[in-house]
Structure formats: C-alpha cells, structure tokens
Amino acid sequence: MSDYPTPPFPSQPQSVPGSQRKMDPYPDCGEQSYTGNNRLAGKIALITGADSGIGRAVAIAYAREGADVAIAYLNEHDDAQETARWVKAAGRQCLLLPGDLAQKQHCHDIVDKTVAQFGRIDILVNNAAFQMAHESLDDIDDDEWVKTFDTNITAIFRICQRALPSMPKGGSIINTSSVNSDDPSPSLLAYAATKGAIANFTAGLAQLLGKQGIRVNSVAPGPIWTPLIPATMPDEAVRNFGSGYPMGRPGQPVEVAPIYVLLGSDEASYISGSRYAVTGGKPIL
C-alpha cells in the first residue's frame, strides 16, 4: 500500500479551473502504478473532466484495461495532452474534446464526435464539475449558481439523452456524485445541491433504462486531491484538506479509479441504480 501525502499542504492558490501541473504534492492518477488486466478490452469510453484529477485517473485505468477513450475537458490543454499521452502509451486511441459543458450544443457535440470516431459509446463517465466556496448566501452570484447547475447536472441530462441511441445493450453510465450529496458542506451550497441531484438522477435513470440493458450508477468521492481544490477553496481549507476524515488525508485520484473500472466492466452486469462511496472511512448510509 502506498504512503500517500497527508496535510498540511503548501499554500498554492490557482485560478479556475486549476492546473494539475502546478499542484504540490502532485496528484497520483496511476501514471506509474495502475496495472490493467484487460477488463475493458475493446470498449469505447467517453469521459468528461478527463484532463486531470479523477477523470485522468479513470482515463489511464480504462486505457490500460483495453478501452479507447474520448476525453472531454474545458480548456486545460496542457493537462489534457498529458492524459492523452498516457492513454496512447497504453496502446489505445484517444480523442480530445475541449469546450464548455454548460453549453447545450457542446454536450451534443462531444457525443457526436465520439460516435463519429469510434462508432458507439460503451461507457459514459459524467465526471466534469464546477464549484466555488462561499461563506454567505449573499456571496453566491446568480450566474455562478446557474453555471454550477448547467455544468454539474444539466450537462449530464443532455449528454445521456444524446448518447443513449449510440449505447449498445450492456452499456454503462457512471456519474460522479460526492460525499456532499449525503453530507452537504454549507460553503459549497450550489455544488452540494447538484451532487444530491446527480445521486437522485442516477437512481431514477437506472430504473428507466433497465429493460434496455444499460446500467447507471454513481460514485461518491470524499476529499480527493485534484486541481479543483486549490482553484476554488480558501487557502486554509486547502492546507488542511482531508484532515478531518478518518484516514486523516485526502484520497488520490488513482484510489477512486478502480470502482469506475468495475462499474464499466461486464463483471458489474447486475449492478445498477447504486451509489458507491470512496470516502476514506466516512460512511454514506
């Protein structure tokens, strides 16, 4: 078992959406450690927010498990190119799809371009998210509230709706929720509300799609060390990130990736409508 970093961490303010290349300590996305076992051989995956953090870890794991990967991201081109390099190093194809998921047309475009390149989508991972920390309701701008919902939950609806005709029986949709769906942080009010919506949307969609043979699940990470943290949270929160959880540290993206592999694989053929916690010991009941 790896000896992962524990807080306190250095001060490292960043602008939104954040860059993985600037983080200290550098997040572990499995670049040197994840070993594949051919569990996703021949599958096609579309992953949003895959330039860095959890999305990068999932992309690397999927490629090493035998899947070709389409990577949707906002505008972090350097980080996205680094993810693509690891996917290609695993011998798999990689498609880069930059743009803003808060825009309806872009949600449609990433699906259409993935299908044009690969012919179908076997695994859809809706992982992209936006958050900002605020200590007062009055500090939340109306446009920011709308952007948070458009990026975090409305985009998932739009992408799923567009992708379904190109998903064969046995396909898998995996949505990234959060421990905030169960235990909302008051300083992340808009973000937490969207994560609760994702958990609910996932549970309902699983029931709608069961007879089509398409599974839908969500993953609820706890504090994971990704660029979103230094880019959107106060310095003191970043310094002590994850210290209040039972394991006393934040999780690394590579520690979240295995559940996405399981849920995307045929091994999970009867798993649908569920939410899986990756929270370093904090229960979701």
Side-chain angles (χ1 to χ4, degrees):
M1 181 175 177
S2 296
D3 188 15
Y4 290 117
T6 59
F9 298 128
S11 175
Q12 49 193 295
Q14 292 196 37
S15 58
V16 177
S19 170
Q20 183 151 314
R21 300 169 65 145
K22 298 177 182 178
M23 293 183 70
D24 181 17
Y26 191 79
D28 182 355
C29 292
E31 294 94 337
Q32 306 299 334
S33 60
Y34 189 90
T35 301
N37 293 286
N38 219 37
R39 296 166 72 189
L40 303 176
K43 292 188 182 293
I44 306 300
L46 169 58
I47 308 169
T48 69
D51 56 288
S52 61
I54 293 172
R56 175 185 288 185
V58 173
I60 290 172
Y62 276 17
R64 292 181 184 174
E65 295 289 357
D68 293 322
V69 182
I71 293 172
Y73 66 101
L74 183 59
N75 57 11
E76 312 90 325
H77 302 297
D78 289 342
D79 279 348
Q81 288 287 350
E82 178 70 3
T83 304
R85 185 175 73 83
W86 287 108
V87 170
K88 292 174 182 177
R92 308 312 305 175
Q93 296 183 64
C94 184
L95 175 65
L96 293 176
L97 300 166
D100 187 359
L101 292 178
Q103 304 301 315
K104 179 179 180 180
Q105 186 58 53
H106 184 62
C107 293
H108 292 174
D109 287 347
I110 65 169
V111 172
D112 295 347
K113 290 176 181 178
T114 301
V115 174
Q117 176 82 8
F118 298 116
R120 67 184 190 280
I121 297 172
D122 296 304
I123 309 169
L124 171 60
V125 178
N126 290 301
N127 171 71
F130 173 79
Q131 70 174 31
M132 287 298 295
H134 297 288
E135 296 306 316
S136 167
L137 186 65
D138 291 338
D139 292 338
I140 305 175
D141 179 84
D142 187 84
D143 289 342
E144 182 184 300
W145 180 273
V146 172
K147 176 182 178 179
T148 307
F149 272 78
D150 282 349
T151 303
N152 294 8
I153 179 63
T154 304
I156 293 179
F157 158 72
R158 290 167 172 167
I159 295 167
C160 287
Q161 192 176 59
R162 191 74 165 194
L164 276 171
S166 300
M167 295 190 73
K169 185 176 180 180
S172 174
I173 297 172
I174 309 166
N175 301 320
T176 302
S177 180
S178 168
V179 67
N180 275 278
S181 64
D182 187 74
D183 183 19
S185 169
S187 64
L188 295 172
L189 190 65
Y191 173 85
T194 64
K195 292 302 181 174
I198 291 168
N200 195 291
F201 175 83
T202 300
L205 187 62
Q207 296 174 75
L208 282 179
L209 302 184
K211 290 184 178 178
Q212 294 176 229
I214 294 175
R215 298 176 291 105
V216 192
N217 294 284
S218 65
V219 177
I224 307 299
W225 188 238
T226 75
L228 199 63
I229 305 311
T232 64
M233 299 182 73
D235 188 63
E236 186 64 21
V238 174
R239 285 180 55 80
N240 296 297
F241 189 64
S243 61
Y245 277 65
M247 288 191 177
R249 64 170 178 85
Q252 294 294 320
V254 68
E255 297 180 279
V256 191
I259 189 63
Y260 287 86
V261 172
L262 170 63
L263 294 175
S265 75
D266 294 338
E267 299 165 35
S269 57
Y270 199 61
I271 300 175
S272 192
S274 297
R275 183 169 54 140
Y276 291 87
V278 187
T279 59
K282 185 178 180 66
I284 290 181
L285 301 175

